């Protein structure tokens, strides 16, 4: 029995390694802030350089900013229906439309970064867009409403600025840098296959960056959240009760493609093209061009008048 378990584990590891090796890699970003050429400098000089670096920081942990980010309900159930008909809503199908190819890097617990392909998606008739791809053994469709899209686009812009101006902290802790550009509330559909996602959640999503060796990546960190499609009383503590934490690693080109797709201009154009006006669905009124002639009515006959009594 022990030998069979060991053999199965070995086969699984070999299959995973082969799968990652077959996926073509994309060029990563080259980042040189001059620190690699100065490895012979003293520790005091290195500490001084680190202190001189300035990083674009946004105070997203304040109460006012948090309340502003979470105000309203951008993911109410009526809005999330989009243009789906009753049958599609009943079967949990066609929740979004795949628009363009998209890719991001993922990192297993023990292993190297590998490229995972997916698609940019749009929820027809709404202001919601995002991307879908497989993470571990399930498909996840991460989506953002207008306010959340603006936070993401602003985060990408800040990352570009810090990258170009050599302000990224190569020695910074991942726990600090992965949320340096802010956070928002997202919406996530997930399931075993992308065609039928019966589960959904509303996780908090952080934006930042992480260095992998000498290469920086813009990161989208999806925090663990409750699965809102299950009965918490009957399935509390089960694997279905919560989503897993996810981290997507993006190059500058990948981050730029995502931010352009999620811009107000692009999503606004898609929304205008797919929104069904209420007047279009109203039933048509039909009236004949002419009215049938009325039947002739007999002329009224004069009524006999009573004779007046004569006085004698």
């Amino acid at each position: 029995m022990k030998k069979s378990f060991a053999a199965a584990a070995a086969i699984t590891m070999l299959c995973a390694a082969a799968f990652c090796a077959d996926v073509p890699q994309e060029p990563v970003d080259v980042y040189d802030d001059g620190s690699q050429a100065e490895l012979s400098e003293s520790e005091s000089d290195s500490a001084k350089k680190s202190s001189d670096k300035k990083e674009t920081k946004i105070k997203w942990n304040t109460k006012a900013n948090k309340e502003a980010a979470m105000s309203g309900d951008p993911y109410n159930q009526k809005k999330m229906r989009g243009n789906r008909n009753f049958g599609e809503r009943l079967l949990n199908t066609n929740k979004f439309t795949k628009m363009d190819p998209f890719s991001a890097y993922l990192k297993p617990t023990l292993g190297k970064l590998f490229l995972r392909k997916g698609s940019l998606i749009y929820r027809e008739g709404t202001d919601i867009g995002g991307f879908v791809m497989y993470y571990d053994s399930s498909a996840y469709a991460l989506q953002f409403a207008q306010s959340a899209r603006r936070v993401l686009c602003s985060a990408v812009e800040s990352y570009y600025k810090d990258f170009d101006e050599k302000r990224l902290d190569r020695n910074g802790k991942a726990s600090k840098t992965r949320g340096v550009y802010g956070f928002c509330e997202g919406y996530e559909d997930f399931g075993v296959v992308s065609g039928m996602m019966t589960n959904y959640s509303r996780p908090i999503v952080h934006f930042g960056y992480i260095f992998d060796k000498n290469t920086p990546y813009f990161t989208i960190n999806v925090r663990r959240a409750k699965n809102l499609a299950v009965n918490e009383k009957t399935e509390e503590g089960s694997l279905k009760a919560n989503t897993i934490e996810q981290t997507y690693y993006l190059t500058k080109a990948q981050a730029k493609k995502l931010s352009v797709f999620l811009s107000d201009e692009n999503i606004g154009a898609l929304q205008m093209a797919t929104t069904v006006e209420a007047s279009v669905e109203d039933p048509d009124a039909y009236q004949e061009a002419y009215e049938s002639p009325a039947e002739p009515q007999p002329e009224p006959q004069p009524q006999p008048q009573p004779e007046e009594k004569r006085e004698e």
Side-chain angles (χ1 to χ4, degrees):
M1 181 65 71
K2 292 182 178 180
K3 290 183 179 180
S4 61
F5 279 124
I11 292 173
T12 303
M13 293 293 290
L14 289 174
C15 292
F19 175 79
C20 295
D22 291 339
V23 177
Q25 299 295 302
E26 291 189 352
V28 297
D29 299 320
V30 178
Y31 182 77
D32 182 14
D33 57 0
S35 61
Q36 298 302 303
E38 305 294 338
L39 295 178
S40 59
E41 293 185 0
S42 62
E43 295 182 358
S44 59
D45 292 338
S46 298
K48 184 176 182 299
K49 283 187 176 183
S50 179
S51 62
D52 290 340
K53 291 181 181 179
K54 294 182 179 179
E55 202 173 81
T56 302
K57 294 183 179 180
I58 306 174
K59 295 182 178 180
W60 293 95
N61 58 343
T62 62
K63 183 178 180 181
N65 285 332
K66 186 173 182 179
E67 290 178 351
M70 302 304 169
S71 62
D73 187 8
Y75 306 109
N76 63 78
Q77 290 300 311
K78 183 177 180 180
K79 176 182 177 180
M80 300 307 290
R81 294 174 185 174
N83 292 346
R84 295 190 300 159
N85 57 40
F86 175 78
E88 291 171 332
R89 297 198 302 269
L90 181 65
L91 299 175
N92 279 317
T93 59
N94 298 331
K95 291 186 174 183
F96 49 79
T97 301
K98 294 181 180 180
M99 306 299 294
D100 297 309
F102 181 67
S103 62
Y105 285 88
L106 308 182
K107 190 173 185 179
T109 304
L110 298 175
K112 299 180 180 180
L113 285 173
F114 65 94
L115 188 67
R116 177 58 57 84
K117 294 184 178 181
S119 301
L120 295 172
I121 60 175
Y122 169 67
R123 211 168 184 111
E124 290 191 2
T126 72
D127 62 347
I128 297 174
F131 62 90
V132 59
M133 65 178 54
Y134 281 87
Y135 199 103
D136 287 348
S137 59
S138 298
Y140 289 85
L142 182 60
Q143 301 153 74
F144 304 94
Q146 184 182 58
S147 58
R149 286 190 288 102
R150 290 175 177 175
V151 176
L152 188 154
C153 293
S154 177
V156 172
E157 184 178 351
S158 297
Y159 174 71
Y160 257 74
K161 184 176 181 181
D162 286 345
F163 189 104
D164 295 338
E165 296 181 3
K166 312 299 181 184
R167 293 180 177 178
L168 301 180
D169 187 358
R170 188 188 301 271
N171 301 317
K173 294 183 179 180
S175 59
K176 175 185 176 183
T177 61
R178 68 179 177 184
V180 71
Y181 297 128
F183 69 93
C184 68
E185 183 186 29
Y187 188 96
E188 196 166 48
D189 290 300
F190 58 100
V192 178
V193 294
S194 60
M196 184 177 293
M197 296 182 171
T198 57
N199 304 301
Y200 67 97
S201 65
R202 296 174 60 160
I204 301 300
V205 184
H206 291 258
F207 306 108
Y209 68 90
I210 294 177
F211 272 86
D212 183 68
K213 296 181 180 179
N214 294 324
T215 303
Y217 293 88
F218 178 81
T219 56
I220 300 177
N221 178 241
V222 185
R223 306 308 296 269
R224 188 178 176 89
K226 290 183 178 180
N227 182 0
L228 301 177
V230 302
N231 189 328
E232 295 182 6
K233 294 182 179 179
T234 59
E235 301 189 59
E236 184 176 1
S238 68
L239 295 176
K240 295 182 179 180
N242 298 282
T243 64
I244 63 172
E245 184 173 348
Q246 308 142 54
T247 301
Y248 300 91
Y249 298 74
L250 279 64
T251 63
K252 288 176 66 178
Q254 291 169 334
K256 187 67 175 180
K257 182 174 183 177
L258 180 60
S259 65
V260 170
F261 176 76
L262 295 179
S263 64
D264 284 346
E265 294 76 12
N266 185 60
I267 297 297
L270 292 174
Q271 186 176 8
M272 184 177 297
T274 59
T275 299
V276 179
E277 297 180 2
S279 59
V280 176
E281 297 181 338
D282 292 341
D284 297 320
Y286 182 76
Q287 184 176 3
E288 296 287 352
Y290 61 92
E291 295 180 358
S292 57
E295 295 182 0
Q297 300 292 330
E299 294 183 1
Q301 298 296 326
Q303 298 293 328
Q305 299 294 328
E307 295 182 0
E308 295 181 0
K309 292 182 179 182
R310 296 179 181 180
E311 296 180 358
E312 294 181 356

